[in-house]
Amino acid sequence: MDTVKNILLVGVGGQGTILASKILSAGLIQAGYDVKMSEIHGMSQRGGSVSTQIRFGQKVYAPIIGKGQADVIVAFEKMEALRWIEYLKKDGRMVINDFEIPSVPILMGAASYPQGILEELQGKVRASVFKASEIASQLGNPKAMNIVLLGALVEAMQIPGEIQWEEIIRSTVKPAFADLNVAAFKAGQEQVRMNA
């Protein structure tokens, strides 16, 4: 693969976007790619927006993704998908967790959560939409939602190269949560296969 690919993971503080990005980066490095990753935390400790940008290819010179350059955007929360859509390429793809986290203005009653987000996004871009949090809950822990989304991303991108995802997940997460996270990854892959 000569061209550089761009992946943007967006969500809200505490959703595990950075852990998912670290596992993804480790897999891409294992496959022999040059990988650059940058994190923007914002007010992540207070439920604010968090984004991670990952670029990979034969040679990557900078970690930043500009508007209209992302091949794939993985949105851990649907309002974040709408917030970042301008970064997606014209022929790009989105993986969206059908999940709402009200922002501070919404919680304070100064605003309301926008309606029709998924319909708007699906009318504009190619998107795989599913309830990753529910899938993770059924597996035993809703916090594994980030790894469900990671599995969906890997399946959606069909990244070439030999990558031992299960081994990477097991070496990254706490041993007590390894089986759960491996199952979450496989469940995410299955969601994209069903939505293909």
Side-chain angles (χ1 to χ4, degrees), residues 70-148:
D71 293 282
V72 180
I73 294 177
V74 181
F76 287 52
E77 196 274 350
K78 60 188 181 182
M79 195 159 46
E80 292 299 314
L82 193 59
R83 187 189 318 261
W84 289 90
I85 192 171
E86 62 188 345
Y87 282 80
L88 192 67
K89 282 183 175 174
K90 286 201 185 316
D91 59 345
R93 183 168 183 174
M94 291 187 107
V95 174
I96 305 168
N97 183 17
D98 183 0
F99 190 71
E100 294 180 11
I101 297 179
S103 63
V104 172
I106 293 170
L107 291 171
M108 293 174 62
S112 57
Y113 198 95
Q115 298 302 304
I117 290 175
L118 294 176
E119 294 77 11
E120 182 179 342
L121 290 167
Q122 288 173 312
K124 291 180 179 177
V125 300
R126 194 163 55 119
S128 295
V129 179
F130 55 92
K131 295 181 182 294
S133 305
E134 284 185 13
I135 292 166
S137 292
Q138 289 164 7
L139 292 170
N141 189 333
K143 289 186 175 181
M145 164 274 301
N146 60 336
I147 308 302
V148 174

Side-chain angles (χ1 to χ4, degrees), residues 174-186:
K174 291 179 181 172
F177 299 110
D179 289 344
L180 167 71
N181 281 283
V182 168
F185 184 86
K186 290 176 180 175

Side-chain angles (χ1 to χ4, degrees), residues 2 25 41 46 50 66 115 118 121 125 132 134 136 139 155 189:
D2 291 334
S25 295
H41 296 271
R46 307 200 186 286
V50 177
Q115 298 302 304
L118 294 176
L121 290 167
V125 300
E134 284 185 13
L139 292 170
E155 187 66 28
Q189 289 181 298

Side-chain angles (χ1 to χ4, degrees), residues 7 15 36:
I7 304 171
Q15 285 193 289
K36 299 284 186 287

